[in-house]
Amino acid sequence: LSLMILSFLLVGCTPAPTSTPAPISATITPIPATATPVPPTATVLPTSTASVSVENIIAFLAYTPGNNNMAIKFIQADGNVGKTIPNTSNAATVDWSPDGKRLVYIVHHSDLDWSMYIVDADGKNLQRITQGNLDYNPTWSPDGTQIAFSRNGSLWIMRISSDQKPVISDLRQLTSKPQELVWGMDWSPDGKQIVFDAQMGDPRGTASYN
């Protein structure tokens, strides 16, 4: 009898089972990583490095003797070797003005400073017209009043005067996709449109050009 009473008491003291809480459901939306523009390096230039003037003089980039820097050189279209433009060390990407009187080009000062310069065809009147950005591949408009270029991966244009000390105005950004790196561009003959190529990143870490 005592065992029966003790068993009854133990059964009566057993705590009731607790209910299991319902699982929490949540929707997780992955956030795509934003591509960080990678500045071009001095050894990998994905655009052309030569330009032909109206007088059939070719301006191109060549290593200067005694160091590993690029400088602008001239050569005639018939193959006659021309001169090296002085004070153009560390040059990258060059373009003639439509009238063949001036050159615009980029100088690599540091990994975060690719600045734009203008120089007369005779090597005189060298002037720095931009600084503090990743400017790249300047390209003159057909009428010589504007320059298209890549800045920090986007396509920009600006107006430039024909004065001895050129005045920059109407600086405008035309593209702004964070995962798009604009490299090369060219103007339509009427100067109303610009065609350009851009490196597009994807989640797999590869790249394509469009």
Side-chain angles (χ1 to χ4, degrees), residues 12-201:
C13 294
T14 302
T18 57
S19 58
T20 302
I24 299 175
S25 61
T27 301
I28 300 175
T29 302
I31 301 175
T34 300
T36 302
V38 179
T41 64
T43 55
V44 181
L45 300 175
T47 55
S48 62
T49 55
S51 179
V52 183
S53 75
V54 291
E55 291 86 4
N56 287 331
I57 298 175
I58 302 169
F60 66 101
L61 303 179
Y63 284 109
T64 55
N67 57 50
N68 201 33
N69 293 327
M70 290 283 194
I72 300 175
K73 295 191 70 173
F74 286 159
I75 189 171
Q76 302 288 338
D78 59 9
N80 290 327
V81 177
K83 62 180 180 179
T84 299
I85 297 296
N87 303 316
T88 59
S89 180
N90 290 315
T93 68
V94 60
D95 193 38
W96 280 102
S97 61
D99 59 9
K101 294 181 178 180
R102 296 188 292 179
L103 290 160
V104 61
Y105 64 99
I106 297 297
V107 171
H108 174 220
H109 291 286
S110 70
D111 288 342
L112 298 178
D113 186 356
W114 289 66
S115 298
M116 196 181 308
Y117 285 75
I118 286 181
V119 66
D120 292 344
D122 58 5
K124 299 179 180 179
N125 198 27
L126 176 65
Q127 297 181 63
R128 183 176 186 170
I129 59 175
T130 69
Q131 65 183 88
N133 291 284
L134 295 177
D135 292 342
Y136 197 62
N137 203 35
T139 307
W140 240 301
S141 65
D143 62 1
T145 63
Q146 299 182 85
I147 292 177
F149 60 101
S150 173
R151 168 168 288 183
N152 302 325
S154 298
L155 178 62
W156 289 66
I157 61 172
M158 65 182 181
R159 291 199 171 273
I160 182 167
S161 70
S162 58
D163 305 332
Q164 187 175 12
K165 291 187 177 181
V167 177
I168 304 301
S169 62
D170 195 20
L171 183 65
R172 287 183 290 153
Q173 182 176 354
L174 301 186
T175 66
S176 58
K177 293 182 179 180
Q179 292 182 320
E180 183 177 82
L181 299 176
V182 174
W183 292 115
M185 73 283 301
D186 198 12
W187 294 81
S188 61
D190 60 7
K192 294 182 178 180
Q193 293 179 302
I194 298 174
V195 61
F196 66 95
D197 62 19
Q199 178 181 335
M200 305 291 291

